[in-house]
């Protein structure tokens, strides 16, 4: 009996959701849906994104909403789906979003969801032979380099790390001409960490005359770093770059303190410029220098950060992208002159995609975002460092 | 509509994963290696289509055979132990497979692009379905034909002496030996069959998600594999199917509207289900075709099993 | 026919079976008795291969079984029942017999087809065995739902289903009443009349003395006597061994 | 063989052995539960983690001193262990081992998610003692905090041995684990013994979790899985049901893990640990200290 009731509830749950979204489209509203990891170990990312998105849409709606092709105004409706950072769930969620009247989706959180997700989309627009899903996705968080190239339906507003780190090392070279050697630390089983160290940081460091004297590798759930730190101690590097999650970043930093390794400069992964690292090990992280595409350096950014906090989230480089995506989409929708009716749904999605593809510059919180033809973005950034338990802007190349 | 078809694909793939553990569980062995076989199938089938341009059907059959062969080889040492030792041994094997693919880089060039597993980066662009004009529902129908064939084969096997033998070994190994059953042969046979089914499932999985990486095939997936048949009950293949629908359909998809409370409820409901129905949702006894057909007469009462030890 | 040659089994320092030699002739009922812990069950386990002997050999018709696995011994024609009944409770009565149809005669002929043949639980052999064991009406009942006596009968039938040449019965009368004992004696004779040699381990003296053609007596893992029932009853060593533990044994029989 | 290699080798061995005590504790917990119930409690690592979080909550809320935090971690984990017993083992029938196995999996997922829910998955600092104390023996550095971890684990094991071999409670526990039926006939209430076993092993898990977190200095939900897997391997290598076996197994896993890391790098490290386990199972199915009939 109980089982039957449970199953019934499940079926009801699935169908009411689908129906609710249809019913809501009756008066002038359009839907933009967010998705990503809102539970599990990385759930905090999705929760922040979700808060940023709804704060941004609330702001847009308060200012009158979005203008449609016929000149009328529409409110933006949004909701956020949890994919638990699981590839199958992510695909399922996107299919579900595409089956409703949503115009475009913002997400996902995890690069390992993004990769399969982009794979089920049509690779090239108008490719008759490709039956991939035709739905625009505008990614805020999944940051691993080069993913947008998988499909022409994908656009990303994640910062391009290669430019940021290139600039960071150039800046280090200028400001600290005495620094010669660099030692890398990388979380081997985490795609983003690997990519950033091997393809971004290392290249950039070598380009600006640093000598890579060694690499330390560890895994996501490692708890013992003494072997890795010992190699680092012997190499006596001037710069140590750590490309890892906050948990192991903290573990490694602690081990470095213990083994009295004192590099002159510590460089971190851009994702580490969030609250987590500081909540885990503020003391050891002191001085950790990171390029990031968000810091509350101007009025607009401060206001946005406050709005997100009011929604129960935190503003960091990831959720800032979610905020910006919402704002960019508003402009895109107005410029694309969409119908906003159920009949024009397919057409509207295509218009949004085309408009995103043609976009070359978009306003961001820190200044103008440059859009690349392959769907990636180059965003303004600042260099921050950890100081007294918070992220302090060290240098703002844009100003 | 594509959403529901997509969901049906997930159900199908997970049913195969669950059935692969079901066959092994019939002999009383809890194998945590199913995620490993699934991974072998996924990488093999992916390589067959993406790297060597094979058709999907031979690709998944080869994937199944490769997994079966490895399951057979692993079965001999692993099945020397049982109970908790076997759980840990198979878990270790599954992790070894995962780490093997974590370290495996082998790419070939096709049409100017590199295809193949690339270590921690995973195996990208296994896009046989979209590139060959398969609509979502085509894929769904294809998967369910495979699932139906496997389920029918297992259902039929359960009617044959082989099925009774598996269950006999699962119930009491000492007695099974005393009547002349070769335990090693039976267990390794079940493991091989399980490996084949897991290989098929993994092969299909790789194509439905287009990108696979070692992290997917971890302990959690192995746990899911055994969870399906245990939750559903070992009575018949339909227990596994029901459990897949319950977990993937209700707990994961149906409760999505609950936000992050869903994940909390997920574990709690499994605990509850096992307390209320310890023998699984559909129970542990094989429903006899006869008693199903003979609806008028009450089926023989299945009393609580006596502890045979 | 079945020969044990200086068979020993040591568990650590304990000599559960110590240098036992026995010969069981074709077609006889051989009773193996002894006080508790005298090594009777261990002997059965050594014959069926559940334990590997420390020293000594087991031969059947001149074939050495000692190195064989349990299932190979069954194929050679050794079958057994258990002191504490071990049925496949998750299978029906007929299926219990079906899975045991492993006998040496059909063994090699058609391996795969036999494994994957459906409905074999209705074969003529099984029907006959069901009748023989008076379980015909229960053929589709789950074995776990049988009564105690029915379980005993099914277990013996299952052993017979593997088409054995020698059947080892491990205390078949345990837990049975006096009247059941009578029926059991008839049943064992019936089994012998089917051409199966029987090795009977039993506490119930009446039963063993009544039906055995020859008897072996164990005490502390050693064979202390062997001979016809009359000889055994007259044997001083046997009396001594049994007097020492008489009360205990009787307690067990009536428990 | 150059000097640095020898130093590294010895250093890895020392670090690994010291850290291995946490695996040993988890292993003992598994073995205790298996001993009295013949069942596998997969929620064990998660319970240990949750207990550790209870300790850290006190640290964050009241700035509690490290000993209090460690104590709370241990006690918290013990209580969660008892909850796990009631949810997964008390009411599932004994003859259906898979029911409790899957229930404990459900519990594992639930506890993990509850921890994530409460902590937002954020890593939190965990107090450690002797954090920067290092004993230098030539070029070998022995970490003060690891020595502390080692010491606490050894004390925990000592207390456990005292409990098991010097108290009536221990006698009852050992009786149940060796002869459950006879123990029940002697008037020992198996439920009470089970309950206590889950409590005690929970406390051990909590200590292991606390010590792991103290050694890293940070606590994150992702350490639960590693502890579970390594603890299980320690048990199997040592031999199921054997406490000395679990200790040796834990030390062996800790040391070999570190040495494989040194020799083969981090991506292959665990392959060799698993391979070692596989070899053990093939060559000695009963484990190091398992009985010859311990294939069960």
């Amino acid at each position: 009996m109980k089982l039957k009731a449970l199953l019934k509830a499940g079926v009801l749950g699935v169908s009411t959701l689908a129906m609710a979204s249809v019913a809501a489209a009756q008066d002038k509203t359009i839907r933009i849906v967010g998705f990503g990891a809102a539970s599990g170990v990385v759930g905090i990312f999705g929760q922040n994104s979700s808060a940023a998105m709804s704060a941004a849409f609330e702001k847009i709606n308060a200012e009158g909403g979005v203008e449609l092709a016929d000149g009328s105004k529409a409110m933006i409706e949004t909701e956020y789906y949890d994919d638990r950072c699981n590839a199958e769930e992510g695909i399922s969620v996107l299919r579900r979003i595409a089956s409703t009247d949503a115009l475009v989706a913002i997400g996902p959180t995890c690069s390992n969801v993004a990769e399969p997700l982009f794979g089920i989309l049509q690779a090239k627009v108008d490719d008759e032979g490709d039956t991939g899903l035709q739905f625009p996705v505008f990614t805020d968080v999944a940051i691993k380099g080069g993913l947008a190239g998988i499909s022409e339906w994908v656009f990303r507003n994640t910062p391009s790390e290669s430019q940021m780190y290139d600039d960071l090392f150039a800046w280090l070279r200028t400001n600290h001409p005495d620094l010669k050697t660099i030692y890398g630390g990388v979380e081997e089983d985490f795609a983003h960490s690997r990519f950033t160290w091997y393809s971004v940081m290392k290249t950039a460091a070598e380009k600006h005359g640093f000598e890579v004297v060694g690499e330390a590798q560890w895994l996501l759930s490692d708890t013992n770093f003494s072997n890795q730190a010992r190699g680092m101690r012997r190499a006596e590097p001037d710069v140590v770059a750590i490309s890892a999650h906050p948990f192991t970043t903290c573990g490694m930093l602690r081990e470095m303190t213990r083994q009295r390794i004192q590099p002159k400069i510590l460089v971190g992964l851009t994702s580490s410029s969030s609250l987590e690292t500081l909540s885990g090990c503020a003391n050891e992280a002191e001085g950790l220098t990171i390029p990031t595409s968000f810091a509350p350096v101007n009025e607009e950014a401060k206001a946005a950060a406050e709005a997100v906090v009011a929604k129960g989230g935190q503003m960091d480089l990831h959720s800032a992208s979610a905020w910006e995506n919402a704002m960019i989409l508003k402009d895109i929708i107005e410029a694309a002159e969409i119908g906003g009716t159920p009949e024009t749904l397919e057409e509207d999605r295509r218009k949004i995609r085309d408009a995103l593809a043609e976009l070359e510059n978009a306003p961001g919180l820190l200044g103008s975002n440059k859009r690349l033809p392959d769907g990636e973005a180059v965003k303004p950034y600042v260099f921050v460092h950890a100081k007294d338990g918070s992220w302090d802007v060290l240098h703002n190349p844009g100003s | 509509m594509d959403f529901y078809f997509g969901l049906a694909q997930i159900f199908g793939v997970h049913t195969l994963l669950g059935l692969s553990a079901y066959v092994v569980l019939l002999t009383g062995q809890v194998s945590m290696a199913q995620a490993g076989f699934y991974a072998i199938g996924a990488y093999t089938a992916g390589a067959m289509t993406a790297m060597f341009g094979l058709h999907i059907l031979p690709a998944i059959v080869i994937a199944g055979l490769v997994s079966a062969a490895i399951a057979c080889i692993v079965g001999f040492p692993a099945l020397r132990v049982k109970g908790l030792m076997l759980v840990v041994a198979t878990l270790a094997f599954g992790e070894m497979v995962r780490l093997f693919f974590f370290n495996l880089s082998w790419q070939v060039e096709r049409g100017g692009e590199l295809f193949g597993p690339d270590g921690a980066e995973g195996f990208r662009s296994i896009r046989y379905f979209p590139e060959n004009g398969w609509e979502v529902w085509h894929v769904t129908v294809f998967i369910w034909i495979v699932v139906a064939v496997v389920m029918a084969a297992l259902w039929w096997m359960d009617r044959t002496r082989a099925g009774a033998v598996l269950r006999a070994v699962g119930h009491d190994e000492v007695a099974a030996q005393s009547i002349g059953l070769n335990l090693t042969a039976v267990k390794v046979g079940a493991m091989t069959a399980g490996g084949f089914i897991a290989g098929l499932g993994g092969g299909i999985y790789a194509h439905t998600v287009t990108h696979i990486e070692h992290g997917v095939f971890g302990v959690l997936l192995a746990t899911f594999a055994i969870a399906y048949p245990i939750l559903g009950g070992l009575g018949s293949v339909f227990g596994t199917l029901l459990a897949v629908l319950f977990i993937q359909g209700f707990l994961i998809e149906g409760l999505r509207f609950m936000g992050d409370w869903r994940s909390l409820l997920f574990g709690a409901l499994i605990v509850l289900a096992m307390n209320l129905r310890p023998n699984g949702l559909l129970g542990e006894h094989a429903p006899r075709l006869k008693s199903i057909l003979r609806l008028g007469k009450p089926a023989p009462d299945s009393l609580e099993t006596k502890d045979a030890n | 026919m079945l020969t044990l040659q200086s068979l020993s089994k040591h568990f650590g320092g304990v000599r559960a079976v110590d240098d036992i030699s026995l010969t069981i002739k074709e077609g006889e009922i051989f009773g193996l008795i002894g006080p508790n812990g005298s090594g009777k069950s261990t002997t059965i386990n050594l014959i069926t291969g559940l334990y590997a002997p420390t020293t000594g050999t087991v031969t059947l018709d001149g074939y050495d079984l000692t190195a064989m696995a349990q299932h190979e011994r069954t194929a050679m024609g050794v079958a057994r029942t258990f002191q504490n009944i071990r049925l496949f409770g998750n299978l029906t009565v007929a299926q219990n017999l079906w899975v045991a149809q492993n006998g040496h005669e059909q063994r090699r002929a058609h391996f795969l087809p036999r494994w994957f043949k459906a409905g074999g639980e209705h074969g003529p052999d099984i029907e006959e065995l069901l009748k023989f064991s008076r379980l015909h009406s229960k053929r589709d009942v789950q074995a776990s739902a049988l009564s105690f006596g029915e379980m005993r009968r099914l277990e013996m039938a299952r052993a017979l289903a593997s088409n054995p040449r020698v059947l080892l019965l491990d205390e078949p009368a345990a837990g049975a009443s006096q009247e059941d004992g009578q029926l059991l004696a008839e049943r064992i004779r019936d089994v012998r009349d089917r051409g199966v040699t029987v090795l009977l381990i039993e506490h119930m003296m009446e039963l063993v003395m009544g039906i055995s053609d020859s008897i072996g007596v164990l005490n502390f893992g050693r064979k202390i006597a062997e001979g016809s029932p009359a000889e055994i009853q007259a044997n001083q060593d046997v009396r001594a061994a049994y007097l020492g533990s008489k009360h205990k044994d009787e307690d067990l029989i009536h428990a | 063989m150059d000097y640095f290699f020898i130093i590294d080798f010895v250093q890895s061995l020392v670090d690994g052995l010291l850290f291995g005590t946490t695996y040993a504790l988890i292993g003992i917990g598994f073995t205790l539960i298996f001993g009295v119930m013949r069942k596998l409690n997969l929620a064990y690592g998660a319970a240990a983690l949750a207990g550790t979080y209870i300790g850290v909550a006190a640290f964050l809320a009241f700035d509690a001193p490290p000993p209090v935090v460690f104590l709370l971690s241990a006690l918290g984990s013990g209580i969660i262990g008892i909850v796990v017993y009631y949810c997964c083992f008390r009411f599932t029938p004994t003859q259906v081992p898979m029911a409790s196995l899957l229930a404990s999996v459900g519990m594992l997922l639930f506890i993990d998610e509850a921890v994530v829910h409460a902590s937002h998955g954020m890593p939190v600092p965990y107090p450690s003692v002797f954090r920067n104390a290092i004993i230098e023996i030539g070029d070998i550095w022995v970490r003060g905090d690891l020595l502390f971890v080692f010491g606490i684990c050894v004390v925990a094991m000592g207390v456990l041995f005292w409990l098991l071999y010097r108290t009536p409670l221990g006698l009852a526990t050992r009786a149940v684990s060796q002869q459950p039926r006879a123990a029940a006939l002697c008037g020992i209430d198996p439920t009470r013994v089970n309950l206590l076993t889950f409590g005690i092993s929970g406390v051990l898990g909590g200590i292991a979790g606390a010590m792991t977190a103290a050694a890293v200095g940070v606590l994150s939900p992702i350490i639960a899985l590693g502890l579970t897997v390594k603890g299980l391997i320690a048990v199997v290598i040592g031999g199921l049901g054997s406490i000395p076996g679990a200790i040796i197994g834990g030390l062996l896993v800790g040391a070999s893990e570190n040495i494989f890391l040194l020799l083969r790098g981090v991506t292959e490290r665990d392959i060799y640990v698993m391979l070692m386990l596989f070899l053990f199972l093939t060559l000695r199915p009963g484990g190091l200290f398992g009985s010859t009939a311990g294939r069960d």
Side-chain angles (χ1 to χ4, degrees), chain A residues 6 10 38-39 82 84 88-89 92-93 95-96 112 115-116 119 121 123 129-131 144 147 188-189 194, chain B residues 2-3 6-7 14 102 120-121 124 127 130-131 133-134 205 209-211 213 250 252-254 256 260 262-263:
Chain A
L6 285 179
S39 62
D82 177 19
R84 278 205 272 219
E88 276 182 317
E89 280 195 51
S92 182
V93 160
R95 286 224 169 93
R96 171 182 243 172
N112 62 308
E115 207 153 338
L121 295 170
D130 188 338
T131 50
K144 184 183 155 192
L147 288 185
E188 275 290 311
D189 57 347
R194 276 176 51 88
Chain B
D2 277 0
F3 161 57
L7 210 53
H14 281 260
F102 180 30
E121 300 285 312
R124 195 185 274 190
R127 298 189 78 243
E131 278 170 3
W134 292 48
Y205 168 80
V209 295
T210 74
H211 170 264
E213 59 176 9
F250 174 64
I252 291 183
E253 203 56 50
R256 198 180 289 288
D260 73 331
R262 175 181 61 139
S263 302

Side-chain angles (χ1 to χ4, degrees), chain B residues 26 156-183 185-186 284-286 288 290 294 300-309, chain C residues 50 70-72 74-75 78-80 82 84-92 95-96 98-102 107 114-122 139-142 144-145 148 151 158-159 162:
Chain B
L26 282 184
W156 169 76
M157 183 209 73
D158 227 354
R159 309 298 94 193
T160 68
R161 187 163 169 275
V165 163
L166 291 183
R167 287 176 190 276
V169 169
H171 193 78
D172 188 339
E173 292 191 0
V174 174
Q177 271 181 309
S178 84
I179 58 161
L181 295 177
N182 182 347
L183 285 194
V186 171
E284 70 163 329
H285 294 306
R288 311 266 302 153
K290 249 202 231 156
R294 245 190 323 179
D301 201 3
S302 50
L303 292 171
E304 191 75 352
T305 324
K306 254 187 62 181
D307 190 1
N309 294 305
Chain C
L50 194 60
Q70 285 194 60
H71 61 94
E72 289 169 324
T74 312
V78 180
R80 72 170 291 179
F82 293 88
N84 47 349
I85 309 168
R86 305 188 82 139
L87 287 171
F88 303 122
N90 56 344
L91 301 180
T92 64
Q95 282 176 323
N96 263 278
W98 191 27
V99 291
Q101 281 194 315
N102 248 336
R107 186 164 168 77
R114 221 164 41 74
W115 272 72
F116 290 103
K117 207 174 89 189
E121 77 245 64
H122 304 285
R139 57 166 307 139
D140 290 330
V141 174
Q142 214 78 38
S144 55
F148 187 74
M151 285 187 178
R158 186 183 66 184
S162 67

Side-chain angles (χ1 to χ4, degrees), chain A residues 49-97:
Chain A
S49 272
S50 168
M53 239 176 269
S54 54
F57 288 132
E58 218 160 79
K59 181 166 183 268
I60 293 169
N61 287 342
E63 287 165 2
V66 193
E67 195 179 303
L68 302 179
D70 59 1
S72 63
K73 288 273 191 176
M75 295 290 135
I76 298 176
E77 254 196 8
T78 187
E79 62 189 305
Y80 197 87
Y81 289 106
D82 177 19
D83 68 16
R84 278 205 272 219
C85 204
N86 171 300
E88 276 182 317
E89 280 195 51
I91 291 175
S92 182
V93 160
L94 187 68
R95 286 224 169 93
R96 171 182 243 172
I97 295 170

Side-chain angles (χ1 to χ4, degrees), chain D residues 63-110:
Chain D
D63 204 16
V68 177
V69 174
F70 297 153
L71 198 67
L72 277 175
S73 296
L75 290 180
S77 172
I79 290 166
I80 293 171
I82 289 172
V83 172
V84 168
Y85 171 67
Y86 271 109
C87 291
C88 307
F89 294 87
R90 176 71 183 85
F91 302 108
T92 49
T94 30
Q95 66 269 27
V96 192
M98 283 166 201
S100 51
L101 179 78
L102 188 57
S104 74
V105 168
M107 205 62 196
L108 159 92
L109 299 173
F110 176 76

Side-chain angles (χ1 to χ4, degrees), chain D residues 93-183:
Chain D
T94 30
Q95 66 269 27
V96 192
M98 283 166 201
S100 51
L101 179 78
L102 188 57
S104 74
V105 168
M107 205 62 196
L108 159 92
L109 299 173
F110 176 76
I111 296 176
D112 249 0
E113 195 53 44
V115 166
V116 168
H117 194 83
S119 70
H120 295 287
M122 300 259 246
V124 284
Y126 198 84
S128 46
V129 282
F130 308 117
R131 191 148 113 202
N132 296 322
I134 282 183
I135 301 168
E136 294 182 41
I137 306 167
D139 276 332
I140 309 285
W141 292 16
V142 181
R143 276 168 56 180
D145 58 341
L146 274 190
L147 268 184
F148 172 75
V149 167
F150 184 80
I152 290 285
C153 292
V154 169
V155 169
M157 290 171 201
V159 170
L160 177 73
F161 272 102
W162 174 78
L163 267 180
L164 280 184
Y165 291 95
R166 291 278 180 276
T167 63
L169 163 72
L171 187 69
T173 310
R174 283 184 297 139
V176 170
S177 89
Q178 274 154 22
Q179 284 292 329
R181 271 177 211 166

